[in-house]
Amino acid sequence: MKLVVLLKQTFDTEAKIVLKDGKIDDSGVTLIINPYDEFAVEEALRIKEKLGQGEVVVVSAGSDRAQEALRQALAMGADRAVLVKTDGLQLDESVVAEVLAKVLQQMEYDLILAGWRAIDDSSAQVGVRVAEILGL
């Protein structure tokens, strides 16, 4: 079974947010896997273990910095990681969903898992938007 997990990197819940020139300054801020996406990775690994076979692929859209979160998912047991670099793009849930859906359209998968919401913006949008775009 091929399992894909959508993964977002977010600020650590203990991070102190600083504004600089009206924008969030992320220098020095620790980034983590969005906790709900981490649950999705764990569930994909459980499914793979229960079946005794399969592949878990984590997919994220973001900058090079997102590699940290993907490496953590690989350390948890994921088999592969895909980073879609979005440097220079103005990202919102719609754009991220479009980008991820384009990548998924070129992959084989049996099941896509995503956290139900992101802790940084609480949008709960990307997973359902990807499903809509893919006709799932």
Side-chain angles (χ1 to χ4, degrees):
M1 176 173 252
K2 294 186 184 219
L3 304 146
V4 173
V5 180
L6 305 181
L7 187 142
K8 181 178 184 180
Q9 187 180 47
T10 62
F11 287 178
D12 187 325
T13 54
E14 300 295 319
K16 293 190 181 190
I17 308 300
V18 176
L19 293 178
K20 184 176 182 180
D21 299 324
K23 295 185 179 183
I24 295 175
D25 180 10
D26 64 357
S27 59
V29 174
T30 302
L31 299 174
I32 62 170
I33 295 176
N34 178 56
Y36 296 106
D37 296 341
E38 190 171 1
F39 297 155
V41 172
E42 290 171 358
E43 186 60 28
L45 294 169
R46 281 189 199 106
I47 292 169
K48 177 184 169 184
E49 183 179 340
K50 182 177 180 180
L51 295 174
Q53 65 174 349
E55 179 181 37
V56 175
V57 181
V58 289
V59 180
S60 186
S63 69
D64 282 334
R65 205 163 170 197
Q67 290 180 34
E68 299 165 21
L70 293 172
R71 280 192 203 101
Q72 183 180 346
L74 291 168
M76 291 170 66
D79 299 294
R80 287 190 306 124
V82 176
L83 173 60
V84 183
K85 289 191 179 183
T86 56
D87 297 332
L89 288 179
Q90 197 66 14
L91 296 180
D92 65 11
E93 295 84 359
S94 178
V95 173
V96 171
E98 288 284 343
V99 167
L100 292 175
K102 291 277 188 217
V103 170
L104 293 171
Q105 286 170 339
Q106 298 175 29
M107 295 175 69
E108 289 183 33
Y109 56 84
D110 297 301
L111 180 64
I112 300 171
L113 298 171
W116 79 277
R117 72 178 178 110
I119 62 166
D120 56 357
D121 61 13
S122 296
S123 70
Q125 294 280 317
V126 173
V128 294
R129 284 178 183 255
V130 168
E132 177 67 23
I133 293 166
L134 295 176
L136 302 175

